[in-house]
Amino acid sequence: MKHYRPNKRSLIVLRIAVLLLTAAIIALDIILIPIKLAVNISVITVSAVAFILVFIYLPLFFSSVKYTATETEIVKTSGVFIKFHQSVRYSSVQYTTVITTPLSQYTGLNFIVFFVYGGQLDLLFLDQHDALEILSLVQTGGVRH
């Protein structure tokens, strides 16, 4: 049994992306909205949402996600407010999709989607080495070499 956690570098990348998006929204509000009171309300609202997302929700989410690979299945545990437990047997995986981004070995933005009978299991923000290791487990049916 082996445990995998999301890559911490992807948390940093997401935080930077949220902060850049927030800055862009605030700049557009200031440029496009002529009413000063509406701009102030919008800036305060967008800033509060970004603050909660960056400093509260994302760290809680990343600390709650865990993937456990056993000999026969992979189990995903996640959830900030409501806990979710999903498991998939290697033998029931019909096909997989691997999503990587440019420089994913540095950013940790590697995703695996397992498509199974009637559903799918998403493994998010994996280290590139961990993603390849999980894929090899699925391809070999859980037998470790």
Side-chain angles (χ1 to χ4, degrees):
M1 179 181 309
K2 185 164 181 186
H3 301 286
Y4 300 94
R5 293 266 184 196
N7 192 331
K8 295 297 182 188
R9 287 178 282 180
S10 57
L11 174 61
I12 295 168
V13 170
L14 286 178
R15 283 178 162 174
I16 292 170
V18 168
L19 292 175
L20 289 175
L21 182 64
T22 301
I25 290 171
I26 289 172
L28 287 174
D29 282 350
I30 292 170
I31 293 169
L32 298 176
I33 300 175
I35 303 167
K36 182 122 175 117
L37 178 63
V39 169
N40 291 340
I41 291 171
S42 176
V43 166
I44 290 170
T45 304
V46 169
S47 299
V49 169
F51 180 84
I52 290 169
L53 186 64
V54 167
F55 294 109
I56 298 172
Y57 182 77
L58 285 176
L60 286 174
F61 174 76
F62 270 76
S63 67
S64 74
V65 175
K66 180 174 70 171
Y67 309 113
T68 305
T70 66
E71 292 295 322
T72 60
E73 66 182 358
I74 187 151
V75 179
K76 174 184 175 182
T77 305
S78 65
V80 174
F81 303 111
I82 299 172
K83 297 293 182 188
F84 295 96
H85 301 279
Q86 297 174 293
S87 64
V88 168
R89 291 192 179 279
Y90 299 131
S91 60
S92 67
V93 174
Q94 292 178 320
Y95 64 97
T96 61
T97 298
V98 179
I99 302 167
T100 59
T101 59
L103 303 174
S104 64
Q105 66 270 23
Y106 305 115
T107 62
L109 297 177
N110 298 294
F111 311 100
I112 300 175
V113 182
F114 295 124
F115 293 93
V116 296
Y117 306 112
Q120 67 186 41
L121 176 67
D122 303 324
L123 305 181
L124 309 173
F125 307 115
L126 290 167
D127 183 70
Q128 194 171 34
H129 178 265
D130 292 344
L132 293 173
E133 191 174 318
I134 291 170
L135 281 174
S136 70
L137 281 173
V138 172
Q139 291 170 350
T140 60
V143 178
R144 296 175 194 245
H145 294 112

